[in-house]
Amino acid sequence: MKVLLIGSGAREHVIAETLKKNKQTILYSYLKSKNPGIISLSKGFEIGNYNDLGRISDYAKKIKPDLAFIGPEEPLSNGVADLLTESNINAVGPTKSLARLETSKSFTRNLLKKYRIEGNPKFEIFNRENIKNAKGFIDDLNGCVIKPDGLTGGKGVKVQGDHFKTNKEALEYCNEVLQTHPSVVVEEKFEGEEFSLQCLSDGKNVIAMPPVQDHKRAFVNDKGPNTGGMGSYSCEDHLLPFLTKKEIDKGLIITQKVADAIYRETGEFYKGVMYAGLILTKEGVKLLEYNARFGDPEAMNVVPLLETDFIEVCNAMINQNLNKIKIKFQNKATVCKYLVPEGYPDNPAKNKKINIRKVPQNARIYYASVEQREDGLYSTSSRAIACFGIADNLENAERIAEEATKSVKGRLFHREDIGTKRLIEKRVNHMKEILG
Ligand code: GLY
């Protein structure tokens, strides 16, 4: 079984490791940078950009894989799934059109609205012609979120109270977005606790993986600027401390309806990961956004829990028989903590040497944005190393992940509080306050 994996982050490192648990897997990888973890698991690899469709196509034709897995959003938004399908290569990951679930915020909001799927906030979409109506809409909301309509690498979304204060500033940001994007989505701001529900879809059947909570702020105690995610946890009971099974099921119901709506709207089946960014509010579970891929770091929390062969799961997504296989997850708690360059995200210390000493036996590390050079490992401007703990309960998983951070030396920092009892209690109390 030849598998081509596209992507070079920690998310793809854990995907590679899990694909290789099947002894038949021969892994090839197409990476943007030399991730030593993925390369050590690969029989062959190619370095190139995710928009170099010719290079990806040539490499895929040379390898002739039985299966391809596309990890990040960038190749999905460039149509790599379409390209592979044209060469008769089965790909896990949506086509360019269906990746609009992530790349076009207006597509997703309009889809939920048209098919009367619950979970949407109040929202309006503005362009240069109707932007004059934005003031009235924003004034009627009790706090807003502004989303450029397109991929922004996690940096474009701005939340009132966090990134700006007044309605005037909201309007100014809308106008700024319209300089570079054809439209901007303005939404009602939700109050609550966020969680990630990563679902596997074959276009007809949707299966939820255990829920995960990510931590976006850079510093301990949820201080500092937003990041791609500083770390995440999941629990052995496949719930979260502030979340019931009913609320998780609601997220799955919404996602199943979205998969059905995508088919009705486009005539195409969505084969890949539908990552629902959800929030529990006083009014129930609401949808913040969808991503067309696994989360990073959230992939680290769920993919290693799979008891079912990942190759079998991928084939079931492609062959549309996810309902015919039993997908099982270990009842373990997980904690992932990202080591990131000092100064990240605003002024990261890049090109700095990283040394990895003895990793504790029960911990794992996954390589993210690092560069393997002849004289060792170096940081780049983004998240460097994911330290991962898995155990029977959260306390032990957190301790293992924290221990693992000590084996990595360099100009890096991490959030010690992720997965700790104190922070979890804060989340639970926040939710109690909101629910009243
Ligand atoms: N952790 C957030 C994301 O993957 O987009």
Side-chain angles (χ1 to χ4, degrees), residues 11 214 216 228-229 275 291 293-298:
R11 170 182 47 208
D214 186 18
K216 292 215 163 58
Y275 154 173
N291 292 316
R293 51 168 173 89
F294 278 122
D296 188 349
E298 295 99 315

Side-chain angles (χ1 to χ4, degrees), residues 239-290:
L239 307 175
L240 290 173
F242 56 88
L243 207 58
T244 63
K245 167 113 179 38
K246 203 167 151 228
E247 288 149 355
I248 296 163
D249 287 347
K250 185 73 193 174
L252 175 60
I253 289 166
I254 292 173
T255 306
Q256 177 72 62
K257 287 184 185 176
V258 170
D260 296 343
I262 287 175
Y263 180 66
R264 285 166 66 194
E265 184 67 14
T266 66
E268 271 188 75
F269 291 112
Y270 188 107
K271 298 180 179 184
V273 179
M274 295 172 77
Y275 154 173
L278 300 164
I279 183 166
L280 179 60
T281 72
K282 202 171 166 56
E283 281 76 42
V285 173
K286 302 285 179 183
L287 176 73
L288 295 172
E289 62 176 6
Y290 272 106

